[in-house]
Amino acid sequence: LSATPEISKEDDRPKWDNKFQYILSCIGFAVGLGNVWRFPYLCQIHGGGAFLIPYFIALLFEGIPLLHLELALGQCLRKGSIGAWNTISPYLGGVGVGTWVVSVLVSLYYNTVLTWVMWYLINSFQEPLPWSACPLNENRTGFNEECYESTAVNYFWYRKTLNITPDIAESGTLQWWLILCLAACWAIVYLCTIRGIETTGKAIYVTAIFPYLVLTIFLIQGLTLPGATDGLIYLFTPNLNTLKNPRVWLDAATQIFFSLSLAFGGLIAFASYNPSKNDCEKDAVTVAIVNSMTSLYASIPVFSVLGFKATTAYWDCLDRNIISIINEFDLPEESIMQQNYTTWISFLNSSYPEKIAGLKLKSCDLQEFLDQSVSGTGLAFIVFTQAIILMPGSQAWAILFFIMLFCLGLSSMFGNIEGVFTPLLELRIIPKSIPKELLSGIICLISFLIALCFTLGSGSYWIDIFDRYAGTVPLLVIAFFEVIGVVYIYKIKNFIGKSKDVEWMTGRKLNLYWQITWRFISPLLLLIVFLAFVTLQMQKPPSYPAWNPKYEGFPMKEEKVYPPWVRAICVLLAALPCVCVPLVALFQLVKRNHRSKDPSLVSPEVFSCQGANS
Amino acid sequence: MLRALLFTLSVVAIAHAELCKPDAQNAFKVRISIKTALGDNAYAWDANEEYLFKAMVAFAMRRYSSKSTTQISNVLLCNVTDRVSFWFVVTDSSKNVTTVPGSEVEAAIRMNRNRINSAFLLSDKTLQFLKITSTLSPPVEPSTPVWLIVFGVVLCLIVAGIVFLIFSGIQKHKKKNKESTETENLEEKVEVTLENGIPCEALDLKPGHINGVFAADDERFTSL
């Protein structure tokens, strides 16, 4: 007897070392920069604790069902996104191609954000921190004008890091320091994804767990800072009136959707490396809940630090007023302290009103400082860095903070790259002789070269465009088609009914909750969210805030309108992934009509999960 | 004699009052913040400190113009407030009852700012000459920017990791290839069925060989 030399295809497919690696990868993909710099901002502007109500409702009816669907799909079909959708129905192959395109676009710009984080990280090793003081002007009599009029932190971000141009049409030059950091970032991504999940599975232990450690350290430190309690009270005080505003519900739905990284194809890719008999239901619920808990957990240190910053700014405001008064009236030092400031002001106002008016004192209101809400890169690179300067031992805090941001972003990048990598491995375009290392190297190299355009002077404006248009609307469309495709085209009875795919995988009968949400609630919700989102985007004129030192209102940002060619690119970015769905369906239709009816084509009903790995 | 002395003194006093008053020509306002600078170690501003201030200004004028004509009595202080702030002028003893031009005083103070500050244990911010801008010292910049060094370290680590992983991948690939050729050789041997050391193919088809000697003996047995 001779053993068959032909090894079955299933054994050749890479596997997770253990279940924990898989769960950690999904959690790392879902938990990203948005959990730290978008969720606390939404909580703040939408009535604090009251925002949690629409957030958890969206989680229950949109987040968890869609997540379960994707994980079950990948695990059952054991293929990347393109292969999986081709298997379900060749007409739905466009959905897979659409997710692949979105993953490519998002990978490009996401790693540039990581470049900025890395730049700040390697600058944090300097004592004193470079964003703590303004540089001097040429004749050393004062500070650099641009820096003096805004703040040192703003100057370091807009001038020393981005070297931003005043207009998106002016491209500026390539910033060599950003190119170096971009190369390093793509090298790190290559190092971690060089052999697919074999290497990311090891790297994820560090990049997924380390942020939690740092968040805990910041939590403990943040709570000891003065003014932290003000920030926390401000964040969590519920204002139920905001729930009447539909905008709040829309923001909650979109936040859940984008936070869980659905419709990228990365989750399908991760789940496809699982053994077929795995409880994907429990996995989905676990990942979704951990993601939301992380958002909540992260908002506590963020708001402690913001409260501290607001309190310090308030004290500074008071101190500046006190100094002006003391200097004007030649009163002895320390006669007016913060505690008796108000009594003194009222006394002086009644006795010398003209002098007080002449001083032009700023009104110092703690609420006003707390109300200054920022999200996104502004939160991390401007507000937080400013707060870090005020803390004792600021270098260590800066290093910890930026390593945490880097790990959060890197683990999300793994998911994005898997979403690009896995389908390519399965498509027969790539010859089998090319080793995985070479393929991932080529992907990283090409992405690096394309992403060089984000290191131009106008790069950050372009990243905003990509973030707003490529990373939002296409995902909603694709997720809608995903649910419709599985539930109505593949026929949910094949997925959860007769052939009992999901039942076989999880080992228990499918709950009514999944049936209802998959069939009706989630598609309906997605449709409503998509329409509302698009309507809102159309209402806002397509403008962007530009940093222009020559603007009269400087340091306020100048609102500029996108020129027509940029608007065309925005539409292209949003439409390209969506258009793949009907295009591929059309292409398949044409191909089928050209060929005579081929009886060997497998119809979707015949397919089953148990058949997949026999 | 006494009357003449009294007369000159009163003239001088009036002249001084004329020369040193707020917003006078060539007069400078000084603002001192001792408690901000020294906290608990703050000293009180009294006549002795004023004397020291006059001495320092005179010293600055002497050093600047290199002629030893400025005396402590040439420096006039007035309008001392609780803040602590006051005005001062520097008079010129060679010319009668005039003040040294403000530009000279300014240049002299700027040149010796450091010495004046240290005499009072204060800094540019806490000992302010209101019309005199101080030359700011630039932040210390190392010759190679620190971030470049850190970047170099990080990049070296990454490149080392990549090279290691690529080489281990190539080695694994070679080992797999060698193993698969070995198993193929084994299988070839196993596939060849042997009959008494002679491959069956040579014997022409299946193993087993009818031996005609025994077959022919079948007739010897009695039939049932």
Side-chain angles (χ1 to χ4, degrees):
Chain A
L1 281 178
S2 67
T4 44
E6 194 206 300
I7 308 163
S8 80
K9 277 194 279 187
E10 293 312 315
D11 292 3
D12 218 357
R13 194 177 180 76
K15 285 196 284 276
W16 295 108
D17 286 344
N18 49 53
K19 176 86 182 277
F20 186 58
Q21 228 181 45
Y22 160 63
I23 295 278
L24 216 56
S25 295
C26 290
I27 291 178
F29 185 30
V31 171
L33 296 168
N35 294 65
V36 170
W37 70 34
R38 185 141 170 88
F39 177 78
Y41 163 76
L42 287 176
C43 252
Q44 182 190 2
I45 62 170
H46 288 319
F51 180 69
L52 294 176
I53 299 177
Y55 184 73
F56 278 111
I57 292 180
L59 180 69
L60 212 56
F61 290 116
E62 190 193 342
I64 298 184
L66 287 172
L67 188 61
H68 187 200
L69 190 78
E70 284 215 6
L71 292 182
L73 206 65
Q75 195 175 298
C76 173
L77 299 172
R78 313 203 69 206
K79 292 220 178 100
S81 56
I82 299 186
W85 288 102
N86 266 327
T87 316
I88 288 205
S89 160
Y91 293 109
L92 282 179
V95 178
V97 177
T99 61
W100 188 83
V101 173
V102 170
S103 284
V104 168
L105 292 175
V106 171
S107 304
L108 286 176
Y109 83 81
Y110 204 78
N111 218 14
T112 316
V113 177
L114 282 187
T115 307
W116 298 336
V117 175
M118 168 165 269
W119 165 252
Y120 268 80
L121 175 63
I122 58 184
N123 268 298
S124 307
F125 287 91
Q126 204 174 317
E127 172 68 33
L129 292 170
W131 55 82
S132 57
C134 273
L136 302 174
N137 56 17
E138 287 87 28
N139 49 8
R140 288 166 56 169
T141 52
F143 295 112
N144 179 302
E145 198 189 320
E146 186 182 347
C147 184
Y148 186 68
E149 290 190 17
S150 56
T151 58
V153 189
N154 273 323
Y155 178 75
F156 187 75
W157 169 238
Y158 287 109
R159 191 54 50 210
K160 281 278 152 57
T161 307
L162 300 175
N163 201 7
I164 206 166
T165 55
D167 194 286
I168 195 172
E170 291 172 41
S171 301
T173 52
L174 291 169
Q175 317 305 326
W176 62 271
W177 56 91
L178 284 183
I179 296 182
L180 286 181
C181 291
L182 186 72
C185 281
W186 276 109
I188 292 181
V189 169
Y190 178 51
L191 174 67
C192 293
T193 58
I194 194 167
R195 278 192 227 129
I197 64 164
E198 285 173 48
T199 39
T200 60
K202 312 282 190 311
I204 201 81
Y205 286 118
V206 174
T207 60
I209 297 185
F210 190 72
Y212 287 98
L213 278 174
V214 176
L215 276 176
T216 312
I217 297 176
F218 263 98
L219 182 80
I220 300 173
Q221 210 268 357
L223 289 175
T224 61
L225 292 169
T229 33
D230 288 315
L232 286 175
I233 292 173
Y234 182 73
L235 169 69
F236 285 119
T237 313
N239 176 13
L240 290 163
N241 284 325
T242 54
L243 294 182
K244 297 190 201 131
N245 182 4
R247 187 66 204 273
V248 176
W249 294 87
L250 177 66
D251 275 341
T254 48
Q255 171 62 16
I256 268 292
F257 183 78
F258 299 133
S259 176
L260 284 172
S261 307
L262 298 164
F264 274 93
L267 288 168
I268 297 183
F270 281 155
S272 69
Y273 296 117
N274 263 340
S276 247
K277 246 194 170 314
N278 176 48
D279 194 347
C280 49
E281 185 179 334
K282 204 161 72 164
D283 296 341
V285 175
T286 312
V287 172
I289 292 189
V290 169
N291 180 51
S292 297
M293 288 300 125
T294 308
S295 294
L296 275 173
Y297 189 59
S299 49
I300 302 179
V302 167
F303 265 87
S304 312
V305 173
L306 288 181
F308 162 69
K309 180 176 177 294
T311 306
T312 323
Y314 172 64
W315 288 346
D316 276 346
C317 179
L318 280 181
D319 283 339
R320 260 179 283 134
N321 286 355
I322 290 175
I323 291 278
S324 321
I325 297 177
I326 288 183
N327 286 346
E328 178 69 19
F329 290 94
D330 282 321
L331 301 166
E333 281 181 285
E334 296 186 359
S335 52
I336 308 181
M337 303 294 283
Q338 286 170 4
Q339 295 88 322
N340 49 14
Y341 173 74
T342 32
T343 40
W344 267 100
I345 271 281
S346 42
F347 165 67
L348 287 170
N349 231 348
S350 49
S351 345
Y352 310 96
E354 333 78 38
K355 264 194 170 181
I356 292 285
L359 283 177
K360 294 205 209 345
L361 298 173
K362 265 200 187 158
S363 69
C364 298
D365 182 17
L366 182 60
Q367 272 302 110
E368 198 187 305
F369 288 112
L370 283 171
D371 275 336
Q372 289 167 2
S373 52
V374 196
S375 81
T377 51
L379 178 70
F381 298 119
I382 299 182
V383 172
F384 230 76
T385 45
Q386 191 155 30
I388 285 179
I389 308 174
L390 303 166
M391 294 184 209
S394 40
Q395 255 191 311
W397 296 115
I399 294 174
L400 274 179
F401 179 64
F402 288 114
I403 292 188
M404 174 188 82
L405 285 187
F406 194 76
C407 287
L408 282 172
L410 196 62
S411 47
S412 299
M413 270 305 283
F414 292 161
N416 282 327
I417 293 287
E418 267 314 305
V420 174
F421 195 47
T422 308
L424 280 182
L425 279 180
E426 291 159 1
L427 279 179
R428 262 140 272 183
I429 315 176
I430 317 285
K432 287 272 188 248
S433 56
I434 293 190
K436 264 196 256 191
E437 288 92 335
L438 191 60
L439 181 64
S440 49
I442 293 176
I443 293 178
C444 289
L445 187 66
I446 295 180
S447 309
F448 165 66
L449 291 173
I450 299 180
L452 279 178
C453 52
F454 291 124
T455 58
L456 288 168
S458 54
S460 83
Y461 299 134
W462 285 105
I463 290 195
D464 274 334
I465 288 183
F466 268 69
D467 194 29
R468 261 205 269 181
Y469 294 102
T472 52
V473 171
L475 292 174
L476 290 168
V477 171
I478 288 172
F480 179 71
F481 278 113
E482 276 190 6
V483 183
I484 297 291
V486 170
V487 170
Y488 294 108
I489 298 185
Y490 176 56
K491 301 251 182 350
I492 200 168
K493 61 176 165 65
N494 295 317
F495 200 52
I496 63 172
K498 258 195 246 168
S499 49
K500 300 184 191 126
D501 288 337
V502 177
E503 259 187 53
W504 182 80
M505 288 196 290
T506 62
R508 63 172 159 278
K509 208 166 159 28
L510 205 69
N511 214 335
L512 190 66
Y513 160 70
W514 302 112
Q515 304 230 19
I516 299 182
T517 46
W518 279 348
R519 268 190 232 251
F520 310 114
I521 302 188
S522 295
L524 195 64
L525 211 59
L526 274 174
L527 194 65
I528 297 175
V529 168
F530 169 68
L531 290 171
F533 192 78
V534 171
T535 324
L536 257 155
Q537 289 282 68
M538 306 260 246
Q539 274 177 4
K540 278 193 299 206
S543 70
Y544 65 103
W547 179 263
N548 186 5
K550 300 206 178 45
Y551 177 52
E552 312 92 47
F554 189 75
M556 301 296 289
K557 304 235 196 83
E558 188 182 351
E559 282 292 323
K560 287 195 182 170
V561 180
Y562 286 129
W565 62 276
V566 174
R567 265 182 273 176
I569 295 184
C570 298
V571 171
L572 188 69
L573 280 175
L576 192 65
C578 308
V579 114
C580 288
V581 180
L583 266 185
V584 171
L586 210 65
F587 174 69
Q588 289 290 342
L589 203 66
V590 166
K591 205 162 81 163
R592 213 140 290 193
N593 280 340
H594 268 244
R595 274 203 239 142
S596 52
K597 297 264 187 286
D598 195 346
S600 68
L601 284 173
V602 179
S603 68
E605 271 96 305
V606 181
F607 191 85
S608 92
C609 276
Q610 300 163 47
N613 70 332
S614 55
Chain B
M1 179 61 191
L2 198 64
R3 228 184 287 173
L5 197 61
L6 255 136
F7 182 67
T8 40
L9 273 173
S10 53
V11 164
V12 166
I14 295 169
H16 280 191
E18 295 276 318
L19 291 173
C20 177
K21 56 178 193 230
D23 296 317
Q25 201 191 37
N26 301 327
F28 293 92
K29 181 166 183 183
V30 179
R31 194 183 286 149
I32 300 186
S33 318
I34 310 176
K35 286 206 192 127
T36 317
L38 300 170
D40 287 331
N41 299 329
Y43 49 81
W45 187 263
D46 51 16
N48 299 330
E49 307 287 343
E50 286 183 22
Y51 190 81
L52 178 58
F53 183 81
K54 291 187 202 174
M56 291 307 296
V57 174
F59 161 75
M61 294 302 300
R62 285 189 179 208
R63 257 189 111 207
Y64 174 71
S65 47
S66 312
K67 50 182 191 247
S68 320
T69 50
T70 323
Q71 305 291 329
I72 290 185
S73 47
N74 284 119
V75 184
L76 308 173
L77 260 60
C78 52
N79 281 65
V80 184
T81 65
D82 282 332
R83 170 65 185 82
V84 171
S85 67
F86 50 83
W87 290 81
F88 78 93
V89 278
V90 183
T91 56
D92 201 341
S93 27
S94 52
K95 306 187 189 136
N96 263 347
V97 205
T98 51
T99 51
V100 176
S103 48
E104 270 189 53
V105 179
E106 182 173 336
I109 303 269
R110 283 190 95 171
M111 194 175 101
N112 299 291
R113 191 65 188 267
N114 224 8
R115 301 291 296 270
I116 303 178
N117 285 350
S118 352
F120 290 96
L121 307 172
L122 298 172
S123 66
D124 276 2
K125 264 188 154 171
T126 39
L127 171 56
Q128 288 169 300
F129 289 86
L130 284 187
K131 271 187 284 182
I132 304 178
T133 53
S134 45
T135 323
L136 302 163
S137 56
V140 177
E141 286 239 6
S143 48
T144 19
V146 175
W147 71 266
L148 214 53
I149 300 175
V150 179
F151 177 77
V153 169
V154 168
L155 203 61
C156 284
L157 287 172
I158 299 171
V159 170
I162 293 179
V163 165
F164 168 71
L165 280 177
I166 291 184
F167 269 119
S168 69
I170 295 178
Q171 276 194 343
K172 224 196 296 186
H173 195 65
K174 276 197 201 146
K175 213 164 72 164
K176 207 165 39 157
N177 273 346
K178 213 169 29 162
E179 267 177 24
S180 64
T181 46
E182 275 175 17
T183 48
E184 272 174 35
N185 291 338
L186 265 170
E187 282 157 11
E188 277 174 22
K189 291 193 192 135
V190 171
E191 264 177 46
V192 177
T193 42
L194 297 177
E195 181 90 16
N196 290 340
I198 311 164
C200 286
E201 284 91 295
L203 294 174
D204 193 35
L205 298 180
K206 38 188 202 305
H209 182 75
I210 297 176
N211 193 338
V213 175
F214 290 99
D217 265 356
D218 267 356
E219 286 111 278
R220 282 212 280 134
F221 295 117
T222 46
S223 53
L224 293 163

